[in-house]
Amino acid sequence: MNNSKKALLLTFVGLLAIYLPISCTNTGNSDNKDSVNSTYVNNILPYDEAKYIFYSLPSPMETAMILNNLDIKYNEEFLSPASNVSRYNTQNSQALNLGIYSADLSFCALYEQNQAAIDYLAAVKKLSEQLGIIGFFNDSTIQNIQDNMSNKNKIVSIVSECYTRSTNFLEEDERNEIASTVLVGGWVEGLYISLKMLETLPEDEENNINDIIIEQKFTLDDMIGLLKLFSKNQGIAQLLNQMVDLKSVYDRIGTEKIDRAVYKELVNKITIIRNGYIQ
């Protein structure tokens, strides 16, 4: 593995976990940020703490960029079918799958799967409207993507702008339970896609998977800390239990070469959680 590719893999450590579609101009610094359990965070209001966590997490577009730069190939089988959007008819399932479809949209846009991106944008638009997030994923946005099919950078910019505007709306409206649910859906989808893609790496690059997975403990801890803030909500409490269950697998991963049986268990666990969301 050449040095530039290895550097990208190490950079990927801080970017693998994803969503809420915070902003492609995220100012959070994951290397310098305090832990969710730090004195600073514990002394601020829950809303401000949630806002702090939201802005500390990278966007799905950043994650897709790293995978794309590593020459890990796009595989539509790893994405949740956009055609299933009509089956989500509760607020909880709509918020989870808004996060999931938003992550899928990011991968499609960056991997230049333009028709698929339009399909996912339509699904995101429908779920956003059902959740009252109106005006950010609309017909003009879909038309704008169609008009720029040959301009990858323009499409990526359009998708990122929609993410930023919709996230600002949720934050300003203080709809924290919905925002947190969207975040979990997108993070789970991003982790699922990433682990499935990483499985395609050649065996001689296997050791890099160890570094990537270990670093996810920190993001998962942040996710758990966020959900605890709103765990009086029944839906959030269920998500919290699932993340704690996932953490029990992570906690069996040491700092040395990862046990392949534990890695497989991790993939199986995230697959079960994710598939439960998209049913």
Side-chain angles (χ1 to χ4, degrees):
M1 183 179 216
N2 61 45
N3 290 335
S4 62
K5 186 173 277 191
K6 188 166 186 178
L8 282 169
L9 262 174
L10 293 176
T11 303
F12 177 63
V13 163
L15 298 178
L16 179 70
I18 60 180
Y19 200 76
L20 192 62
I22 300 301
S23 168
C24 57
T25 57
N26 190 343
T27 58
N29 187 328
S30 60
D31 292 331
N32 296 323
K33 74 182 182 67
D34 295 327
S35 167
V36 172
N37 294 320
S38 68
T39 301
Y40 168 72
V41 173
N42 284 333
N43 285 326
I44 59 180
L45 296 173
Y47 172 69
D48 291 327
E49 183 176 346
K51 185 175 176 181
Y52 170 82
I53 298 172
F54 288 157
Y55 278 101
S56 73
L57 295 173
S59 74
M61 190 63 72
E62 291 173 299
T63 302
M65 249 176 229
I66 296 300
L67 290 167
N68 185 254
N69 288 336
L70 286 171
D71 295 325
I72 299 179
K73 303 303 181 184
Y74 170 88
N75 188 334
E76 66 177 2
E77 293 181 2
F78 297 154
L79 308 186
S80 176
S83 58
N84 289 343
V85 63
S86 297
R87 67 172 62 175
Y88 309 123
N89 50 28
T90 67
Q91 180 175 282
N92 190 63
S93 66
Q94 289 164 355
L96 281 171
N97 285 280
L98 175 57
I100 288 169
Y101 282 147
S102 295
D104 293 338
L105 173 58
S106 291
F107 279 89
C108 289
L110 198 63
Y111 277 86
E112 300 182 80
Q113 303 295 314
N114 294 331
Q115 184 54 57
I118 291 172
D119 294 340
Y120 281 105
L121 183 58
V124 167
K125 173 180 177 289
K126 180 172 184 176
L127 293 177
S128 297
E129 290 174 347
Q130 289 173 334
L131 290 167
I133 311 171
I134 300 173
F136 306 116
F137 303 97
N138 51 33
D139 292 336
S140 65
T141 304
I142 295 175
Q143 186 63 51
N144 202 6
I145 287 180
Q146 290 175 325
D147 292 342
N148 290 278
M149 286 288 235
S150 60
N151 189 337
K152 172 182 171 180
N153 291 336
K154 180 65 175 178
I155 291 177
V156 169
S157 176
I158 293 168
V159 171
S160 296
E161 182 182 359
C162 287
Y163 285 160
T164 303
R165 292 167 63 197
S166 63
T167 302
N168 288 342
F169 175 85
L170 281 173
E171 180 192 338
E172 291 169 5
D173 205 36
E174 298 190 21
R175 299 171 70 185
N176 293 298
E177 287 83 358
I178 292 178
S180 299
T181 304
V182 173
L183 172 60
V184 170
W187 185 83
V188 166
E189 180 75 348
L191 182 59
Y192 169 79
I193 294 172
S194 300
L195 290 177
K196 297 295 285 185
M197 284 187 169
L198 287 169
E199 282 187 314
T200 69
L201 285 175
E203 290 186 8
D204 62 351
E205 297 182 8
E206 185 176 273
N207 289 339
N208 295 291
I209 298 176
N210 189 52
D211 295 330
I212 292 168
I213 293 175
I214 288 171
E215 286 297 323
Q216 294 318 295
K217 290 183 179 181
F218 301 110
T219 303
L220 181 56
D221 285 343
D222 282 3
M223 187 75 64
I224 289 172
L226 174 66
L227 295 176
K228 283 181 178 178
L229 294 173
F230 309 111
S231 59
K232 290 183 180 179
N233 177 286
Q234 184 176 356
I236 295 292
Q238 183 176 359
L239 297 179
L240 175 59
N241 289 337
Q242 292 170 339
M243 294 302 102
V244 170
D245 191 27
L246 181 62
K247 180 175 168 58
S248 70
V249 180
Y250 264 113
D251 286 344
R252 293 169 51 202
I253 297 174
T255 58
E256 303 299 327
K257 182 179 171 76
I258 188 171
D259 184 307
R260 298 304 294 172
V262 177
Y263 174 72
K264 183 176 288 188
E265 185 177 345
L266 178 62
V267 175
N268 289 341
K269 179 66 71 174
I270 198 67
T271 299
I272 290 171
I273 292 173
R274 180 261 194 181
N275 287 347
Y277 295 164
I278 68 173
Q279 287 181 351

